Amino acid sequence: MVVHTLWKLGNFLARRNRLISTTATRHFEPENFYAYTSGRWIHDETRQLSLRYRSFNVDALKTVVAHAAGGNSVLKMEKLAEGSYNKVFVLTLDNGQELIARILTVLAGPGKLVTASEVATMDYARSLGVPVPRVLAWCADASSTPVQSEYIIMEKASGVELGRVWDQMSSDQKDDTVREVVNIEKRMIKPFFKAYGSVFYQGDVDSGVVHDRFVVGPNVSLPFWDEERRHMDIDRGPWTDPLSYLKAISSRERIWIHNHATSNPHPTLFEPPTHIQDQQAHISLLNRYDAVLPYIIPTQDPILLRPTLWHTDLHFGNIFLSQDDLAEGNVRITAIIDWQHACVLPLYLQARAPRFLPLPDQIPPSSDDDDDEEEEEAFDQQAAAAAALADAELANRHELYHTTTASLNPDYHHALSFNTRDLIITPVQFSGRTWSGGYVPLQNTLLRIVDNWDYLGHRHFPCPIAFSQSEREAHAEDAQEWQVGEDLQVMIQDRIGVQEGGWVSHEGYEDALRRNEELKEEFLQQKPHGKDKDTFLRAWPYRPVV
């Protein structure tokens, strides 16, 4: 069954529609709900907006929400948030309750599978004692509901977003938050299914590995469904051994390259150079990766291979805290949200520190030729001192996370810190996206594997792949060019004031357009003598349509 709601009959929904309050919709503009309204793009905006546009029957959705909450009418419906994958609405009912409604965009992947998996995943996480909002109604088949879209209706997360209060929290409260997160992660580490994939209820997928009410079915994570991959005949699991899962990743990329990859003869500053945009080179590199793959799986350590469901996106906006506890100087996590695309993978591939606890970047040393005015120099020193203090605090808190995890959740700490972790995880991360910038990093990781073969425990037989001296020299040049490109992208985005893809807030849009033109003119000054201006400017990544 892919349809799960608290009501079954379309006739009943029609009767309930008449109960919806009209006062909240008298001045309602449905396009504001359907369209993406939270920002703009300075490049390729029409396509970006169309991918995030999703129409649905607003009144039918209100009916579902009203019934799910035991109310008679929806007094107010507001768009709470939106991103690439969802539109999130908060609805206030006549009985005082507030519920959350989630509507998917096409970028989220296959609506039926993504919706069904998220609901089952949230249910399973709740069964482990993880604070997750309850789902009150849902439908994974847009063609079967008057809402005309997949949807999830759930409780509104209680408490306040961690990101809204972090800067006001005491150091002790921040430390307690870290400990709370570790305690929740400890609950998640319990033994799970004997397969890798995504979690569903029994009956929502055709086949899978069953565990009580749940089943591990196909993987719904985006890399298996992005763009043309959605229509490709590829292995999406479930998998009962790690080698099959890892081979499915490289096979997916190989099939996509063979059928869809095209070389751009005039790459932008953000794209790989033409000599790297070669199908055969990518396929050859993936074949080398597959040759060493069986030897970089930690088969001698069953803890690392344990199938584990994990929330891999614990940032400030996905963690909620009790406001009452904060007022008393304490910390209690009341909700963990956004379980979309969560899946079951080997523990060693899931393990990572929460996103709200990144390792601090090193502060670059001050340059001798900086502006030497005393006032600015004093300001720079104060800013550097403040940044250094913040980085030291973050580093200490990151260390607290690791020491607490080692004490309370030793298996997970082992997955975070085993000796060969960096050597064997990094190639997996790049094997599924060589065409979109991962070719050079994957080649680099394979070189490291060749050079550290004995360290991986295989000194009794030779590595099945090798790189010639000329290949190594060519890679060194490619790696240097790749790093320059990465640094250049960060610099350009920072100078213009946009995020990846050219996204910018409404308020910053006009300024971003202006700065883009200014920076493009600076770039034009670097044009070699005799080269055509229009041809040279094809390399500029942001070309607004104005």
Side-chain angles (χ1 to χ4, degrees):
M1 289 169 49
V2 295
V3 179
H4 291 256
T5 64
L6 298 182
W7 48 272
K8 299 294 182 181
L9 300 176
N11 288 338
F12 177 72
L13 179 128
R15 291 195 300 271
R16 294 286 292 189
N17 257 339
R18 294 192 290 270
L19 297 175
I20 295 298
S21 170
T22 59
T23 58
T25 60
R26 189 169 294 149
H27 303 293
F28 165 64
E29 294 290 342
E31 284 298 313
N32 291 332
F33 283 172
Y34 306 156
Y36 182 86
T37 59
S38 298
R40 299 198 60 178
W41 284 262
I42 66 169
H43 177 81
D44 198 25
E45 183 173 52
T46 299
R47 187 178 75 90
Q48 297 289 356
L49 291 173
S50 67
L51 290 171
R52 291 160 177 79
Y53 185 93
R54 183 64 188 266
S55 62
F56 57 96
N57 188 317
V58 175
D59 286 339
L61 181 67
K62 290 180 177 180
T63 297
V64 175
V65 172
H67 184 68
N72 290 318
S73 62
V74 172
L75 302 180
K76 184 170 61 173
M77 176 175 174
E78 298 176 299
K79 185 189 289 184
L80 182 64
E82 61 185 345
S84 295
Y85 313 129
N86 304 282
K87 298 181 182 298
V88 183
F89 303 95
V90 58
L91 295 94
T92 304
L93 282 79
D94 60 338
N95 61 9
Q97 290 195 59
E98 287 187 326
L99 296 187
I100 296 295
R102 288 257 306 276
I103 301 289
L104 273 65
T105 72
V106 67
L107 292 172
K112 285 186 178 182
L113 292 176
V114 171
T115 302
S117 179
E118 181 173 9
V119 172
T121 298
M122 293 173 69
D123 189 2
Y124 182 80
R126 282 178 59 86
S127 74
L128 297 178
V130 179
V132 178
R134 284 191 308 129
V135 173
L136 302 180
W138 63 284
C139 178
D141 186 355
S143 66
S144 71
T145 169
V147 178
Q148 300 169 15
S149 168
E150 305 87 356
Y151 62 81
I152 299 177
I153 312 301
M154 66 183 79
E155 296 173 328
K156 185 179 180 182
S158 61
V160 60
E161 284 184 21
L162 176 59
R164 294 183 179 274
V165 296
W166 182 259
D167 289 341
Q168 290 77 49
M169 293 169 62
S170 68
S171 181
D172 287 345
Q173 286 179 313
K174 292 177 179 179
D175 290 347
D176 287 344
T177 302
V178 172
R179 297 184 182 98
E180 276 277 289
V181 168
V182 173
N183 273 306
I184 289 175
E185 290 180 338
K186 182 180 178 180
R187 301 170 202 169
M188 295 287 295
I189 206 71
K190 291 182 180 179
F192 195 54
F193 303 93
K194 298 179 180 180
Y196 311 113
S198 293
V199 182
F200 296 87
Y201 289 123
Q202 286 194 47
D204 283 343
V205 288
D206 295 334
S207 61
V209 178
V210 177
H211 178 86
D212 295 333
R213 297 182 295 124
F214 303 97
V215 59
V216 173
N219 191 307
V220 301
S221 63
L222 286 171
F224 283 94
W225 301 94
D226 189 35
E227 297 181 338
E228 296 93 351
R229 295 165 183 82
R230 179 179 300 204
H231 309 292
M232 286 169 25
D233 183 16
I234 56 178
D235 179 10
R236 298 186 177 91
W239 307 275
T240 56
D241 64 274
L243 181 59
S244 296
Y245 164 64
L246 296 175
K247 280 189 172 180
I249 296 175
S250 56
S251 174
R252 178 190 74 213
E253 183 70 357
R254 189 182 291 106
I255 294 171
W256 182 88
I257 290 171
H258 180 76
N259 291 288
H260 300 286
T262 57
S263 178
N264 181 1
H266 303 287
T268 72
L269 297 175
F270 293 174
E271 294 177 318
T274 52
H275 73 277
I276 288 182
Q277 297 183 51
D278 177 76
Q279 286 190 358
Q280 191 52 48
H282 282 254
I283 290 174
S284 175
L285 187 66
L286 287 168
N287 289 341
R288 281 176 161 175
Y289 167 73
D290 278 357
V292 300
L293 188 53
Y295 307 103
I296 61 172
I297 299 173
T299 53
Q300 303 303 313
D301 195 336
I303 290 176
L304 297 179
L305 301 182
R306 178 190 300 168
T308 307
L309 174 68
W310 209 252
H311 194 307
T312 58
D313 195 23
L314 286 179
H315 59 68
F316 281 118
N318 285 339
I319 302 172
F320 285 71
L321 305 181
S322 164
Q323 290 176 291
D324 291 340
D325 283 80
L326 286 173
E328 296 176 357
N330 302 317
V331 170
R332 179 170 59 88
I333 294 178
T334 54
I336 303 290
I337 67 169
D338 193 6
W339 294 82
Q340 192 176 64
H341 302 127
C343 52
V344 181
L345 296 179
L347 176 60
Y348 80 103
L349 296 177
Q350 298 278 48
R352 67 205 69 194
R355 278 185 59 193
F356 77 94
L357 289 175
L359 280 171
D361 294 327
Q362 292 184 349
I363 300 175
S366 299
S367 173
D368 291 338
D369 58 1
D370 283 347
D371 192 329
D372 57 1
E373 294 183 10
E374 291 185 5
E375 185 175 341
E376 292 198 13
E377 183 177 349
F379 176 82
D380 289 343
Q381 290 175 351
Q382 291 174 2
L389 181 62
D391 277 0
E393 181 181 353
L394 185 55
N396 291 338
R397 199 152 284 121
H398 198 275
E399 179 63 23
L400 172 65
Y401 171 78
H402 279 273
T403 56
T404 306
T405 299
S407 174
L408 300 180
N409 201 0
D411 286 355
Y412 190 67
H413 183 263
H414 174 51
L416 282 170
S417 57
F418 65 97
N419 290 340
T420 59
R421 173 181 168 83
D422 290 341
L423 272 176
I424 69 175
I425 289 180
T426 310
V428 176
Q429 295 171 337
F430 292 111
S431 65
R433 56 182 184 93
T434 67
W435 195 264
S436 57
Y439 178 89
V440 172
L442 178 59
Q443 189 174 54
N444 187 67
T445 63
L446 293 182
L447 281 163
R448 292 181 62 213
I449 286 172
V450 171
D451 294 342
N452 291 276
W453 189 247
D454 289 352
Y455 182 69
L456 288 169
H458 305 313
R459 61 176 57 91
H460 301 299
F461 57 93
C463 181
I465 65 172
F467 291 89
S468 67
Q469 184 60 33
S470 61
E471 286 179 311
R472 289 174 177 269
E473 291 172 357
H475 169 74
E477 294 180 5
D478 290 340
Q480 184 176 15
E481 187 173 359
W482 179 85
Q483 189 59 59
V484 169
E486 292 290 299
D487 295 342
L488 186 63
Q489 181 170 349
V490 172
M491 184 275 289
I492 289 175
Q493 289 174 177
D494 287 347
R495 286 277 302 273
I496 296 174
V498 296
Q499 296 182 13
E500 187 172 358
W503 184 93
V504 64
S505 67
H506 286 287
E507 297 78 12
Y509 179 71
E510 294 299 331
D511 283 343
L513 288 179
R514 174 181 54 79
R515 287 191 293 265
N516 181 60
E517 289 302 310
E518 293 172 351
L519 199 55
K520 186 170 68 174
E521 286 301 314
E522 291 183 27
F523 172 68
L524 188 59
Q525 301 306 312
Q526 309 301 316
K527 180 179 74 66
H529 179 72
K531 187 162 187 176
D532 178 69
K533 173 182 176 181
D534 290 339
T535 301
F536 185 71
L537 283 178
R538 288 180 183 177
W540 190 250
Y542 297 128
R543 296 182 290 276
V545 177
V546 293

